[in-house]
Amino acid sequence: MDATLKPIAAKVFEGRRLEPAEGVALLQSGDIWTIGRLADHARRRRHGLAAYYNINRHINYTNLCALSCRFCSFYRKKGQDGVYEYSTAQIADLARSAAEAGATEIHIVGGLHPWLDFSYYTGTLSAIRAAAPKLHIKAFTAVEIVHLARIDRRPGDLRGVLADLAAAGLGSLPGGGAEVFDDRVHDQAFKGKIRSDKWIEVHRTAHELGLFSNATILYGHIESPEDRIEHLCLLRQAQDEAISAGHRGRFQTVIPLPFVPDGSALGHLHGPTGLDDLKMLAVCRLMLDNFEHVKAFWIMQTLELSQLALSFGVDDIDGTVGWYDITRVGGSDTDQHVDVPTLRRAIREAGFIPIERDTLYRRVIRDGADWDVVACGTAAPPPTVAATA
Ligand code: SF4
């Protein structure tokens, strides 16, 4: 074992919180097997052999965006080739067909559209609610929420905007738009986007309103190990605050997202390697001791690596997805979908027990496209292995 990891290992086995310097030491260590073993210990202590997946559908409603983040290859400007936006009716149709196919969740994010007004967003949520009443709507990153507050000319009223969206059908917030909580990285890679304080304020406000949310970190570009750990510590602190304030909403899952250079203004960078992916997932588990779940998003980390990641701290590999336009390369219109037997086989083959969950980590009991839930996730203790086998 790397000698610098010995005191960290002792703390992990005693269930004690790691300091920022210890997180940096983990990221700087080449001892991937010890890091994985520690993360696996923390993961099994919380979840046993349970490994979660869901049946979901992603909709990226527009790629027209007012910003031009340097790491992003998704956005387009007005008149550019490939620019698109979905109407409310199109989104409702997609949601209906997803629900008819058995999906429990629709995941909606998009660019910061310069001239759609607030009623497009509330109208879309209401239309989905009418078309597919059971479907949980997880939608709009913190960046989009701030954008919606601006276009509705109430930039200081995040609570009112979130309450209006929730009244129209919003069920929870995804974790996107966090990128890296560091001003240098912000100014060099995504200037114009909200900074960490605003991102956290949106999620805090959502938690106060009783909405659950997720968190992300975009790694493998121009950030340092110290930047990554600072980001995770800010998330950990925000979760501590949500828990001690007694908010019903809180962060459920952290989703570390690897930077994909292709087609972006940072295309000269190589992006993270597979070992960096595994290390980052493991370090998220070890540093975020107050987050219930760590997700490998198979679309980005690949299903093959996600199988291995289940032994590196990960307990969730997301879902069936359908289309995911954000990292689609070269204008391809291929379906990015995995079927349920493939997901379950991947989990079993890795030595874990597949459990279908809904967005709130309740266990799904399914009969074809019909389904119901039993509480077993964030709001209640995780299932035991015996109960889920
Ligand atoms: S990352 Fe989001 S906000 Fe930035 S350019 Fe891409 S779509 Fe727009």
Side-chain angles (χ1 to χ4, degrees), residues 143-354:
V143 183
E144 289 166 279
I145 297 294
V146 170
H147 177 68
L148 299 192
R150 284 188 191 134
I151 60 173
D152 208 40
R153 296 193 178 83
R154 43 175 171 160
D157 187 19
L158 293 173
R159 172 177 277 269
V161 167
L162 283 163
D164 288 349
L165 294 170
L170 179 72
S172 63
L173 293 186
E179 320 314 357
V180 178
F181 293 156
D182 176 78
D183 285 347
R184 174 192 68 85
V185 179
H186 176 277
D187 292 351
Q188 290 180 19
F190 44 97
K191 200 167 184 169
K193 217 166 202 176
I194 58 174
R195 292 183 188 270
S196 55
D197 54 346
K198 190 57 94 175
W199 190 95
I200 287 172
E201 183 187 343
V202 170
H203 284 261
R204 184 191 308 122
T205 308
H207 298 162
E208 286 168 5
L209 289 169
L211 295 169
F212 284 85
S213 72
N214 291 334
T216 58
I217 174 169
L218 182 75
Y219 65 93
H221 44 96
I222 61 168
E223 86 289 0
S224 66
E226 289 79 5
D227 296 333
R228 293 188 192 185
I229 295 302
E230 171 70 10
H231 183 105
L232 297 183
C233 288
L234 284 170
L235 289 177
R236 189 168 73 180
Q237 183 184 332
Q239 182 79 318
D240 278 346
E241 288 166 7
I243 292 168
S244 64
H247 300 322
R248 202 178 70 74
R250 63 185 65 167
F251 292 110
Q252 300 189 108
T253 310
V254 63
I255 308 132
L257 300 172
F259 167 57
V260 178
D262 305 353
S264 78
L266 297 176
H268 58 285
L269 302 176
H270 55 68
T273 62
L275 282 184
D276 197 10
D277 288 336
L278 288 176
K279 194 188 285 185
M280 192 60 202
L281 290 158
V283 169
C284 281
R285 171 63 73 192
L286 292 168
M287 291 303 293
L288 292 176
D289 55 1
N290 54 5
F291 274 57
E292 192 79 14
H293 303 284
V294 177
K295 181 191 291 185
F297 185 35
W298 67 263
I299 284 277
M300 299 184 84
Q301 272 119 350
T302 75
L303 189 55
E304 291 79 2
L305 195 76
S306 299
Q307 281 185 292
L308 190 54
L310 288 169
S311 295
F312 279 74
V314 164
D315 67 287
D316 185 344
I317 59 170
D318 201 77
T320 47
V321 178
W323 274 256
Y324 187 70
D325 293 309
I326 289 173
T327 54
R328 182 166 296 158
V329 176
S332 149
D333 61 355
T334 50
D335 185 358
Q336 290 166 286
H337 176 85
V338 65
D339 60 26
V340 170
T342 302
L343 275 178
R344 294 181 67 90
R345 189 172 62 245
I347 291 170
R348 279 212 184 87
E349 196 181 84
F352 293 87
I353 298 165

Side-chain angles (χ1 to χ4, degrees), residues 65 67-69 71-72 74-75 110-112 143 179 193:
C65 188
L67 296 185
S68 310
C69 300
F71 63 79
C72 178
F74 172 65
Y75 74 86
L112 307 185
V143 183
E179 320 314 357
K193 217 166 202 176

